[in-house]
Amino acid sequence: MSSTGSTPDSAAPPNHDRRGLPAAVLWDMDGTLVDTEHFWMDAETALVESFGGSWSHEQALTLVGSGLDRSAEILQDAGVRMSVRDIVDHLTATVQDRLATEGNPFRPGAVALLQGLRRAGVPTALVTMSLRSMATTVADQMGFDAFDLVVAGDDVTRPKPFPDPYLQACAALGVDPDDALAIEDSPTGVRAATAAGVTTIGVPLMVPLDGTGAHALWVTLEDRTLDDLIRAHEARRAGHPTPGVAPDERVSA
């Protein structure tokens, strides 16, 4: 795995042309690869309450997929009397402590799909707005060499929903965004990926993704295969729905 947001040390050999696979598959982390959103929500709630405030589940949902600096500013508005940097560091350390003791709470099907991509030689990247320290903690706990590249929140100037994180990942991997595919769970992430011109599969967790512009919506990654990725990617590039897909698999132009 590359340790920076730049060119990877050694990208996997591209054999996507032979099978119709995307040139690269870009993974969001929190809520997509790992079900850590409740870790963040617990940390936010405890922090706000430590300053005598209250933090509802509905308020927490508004931060799903957001950059940490923006989330910290919102927590300041909720009464947290700390600097943005201190809030970000505190939340990150709290969630990392839980990961260290509880391990990665993988979303169903995510690991199997990633392993299939690696066996097929498809380059992969972790594209997250969490800090690099958090992203590398998750990547190091995968148990196999899961990613060629990590682009983290502290690697980019503009966070999701700006397209910058996905454009940076594509540039580092040496692929055209039109040839890449992203997997996301939040409206913010979907908007970032689609704005970058990447085929985007939405797999909602905490919030619905209807109307966000995702090219395909899947209820789960469980039992999904490389053929499913090929079908979604080719349908988006062709600009028409995939024949015979169920409503949760719909693909828009």
Side-chain angles (χ1 to χ4, degrees), residues 82-167:
M82 295 168 61
S83 70
V84 165
R85 176 47 49 193
D86 286 344
I87 292 173
V88 170
D89 289 345
H90 173 84
L91 294 177
T92 299
T94 301
V95 176
Q96 279 185 275
D97 285 345
R98 288 194 64 175
L99 286 169
T101 57
E102 300 178 31
N104 285 345
F106 292 111
R107 286 201 68 182
V111 173
L113 186 56
L114 246 177
Q115 289 173 329
L117 289 166
R118 300 309 277 167
R119 286 192 297 270
V122 179
T124 57
L126 193 61
V127 183
T128 175
M129 291 302 89
S130 289
L131 297 184
R132 172 164 292 278
S133 59
M134 169 75 69
T136 54
T137 294
V138 170
D140 289 346
Q141 290 181 344
M142 292 296 296
F144 63 101
D145 187 16
F147 300 104
D148 296 290
L149 175 75
V150 171
V151 175
D154 39 348
D155 296 325
V156 297
T157 302
R158 299 191 303 174
K160 301 173 186 179
F162 292 101
D164 302 39
Y166 282 107
L167 292 174

Side-chain angles (χ1 to χ4, degrees), residues 4-30:
T4 70
S6 58
T7 303
D9 296 331
S10 57
N15 64 0
H16 55 278
D17 289 336
R18 188 167 67 247
R19 295 200 52 201
L21 284 164
V25 176
L26 316 173
W27 290 74
D28 174 55
M29 187 175 77
D30 296 295

Side-chain angles (χ1 to χ4, degrees), residues 48-94:
V48 173
E49 290 180 348
S50 73
F51 284 92
S54 61
W55 188 245
S56 69
H57 181 69
E58 289 69 28
Q59 287 173 298
L61 288 176
T62 66
L63 302 189
V64 172
S66 297
L68 285 172
D69 285 355
R70 177 56 183 151
S71 296
E73 292 170 354
I74 293 172
L75 292 174
Q76 286 178 327
D77 292 339
V80 176
R81 295 183 296 278
M82 295 168 61
S83 70
V84 165
R85 176 47 49 193
D86 286 344
I87 292 173
V88 170
D89 289 345
H90 173 84
L91 294 177
T92 299
T94 301

Side-chain angles (χ1 to χ4, degrees), residues 33-57:
L33 177 65
V34 286
D35 185 1
T36 48
E37 294 293 3
H38 60 293
F39 288 3
W40 290 102
M41 291 179 175
D42 289 348
E44 294 157 10
T45 301
L47 183 59
V48 173
E49 290 180 348
S50 73
F51 284 92
S54 61
W55 188 245
S56 69
H57 181 69

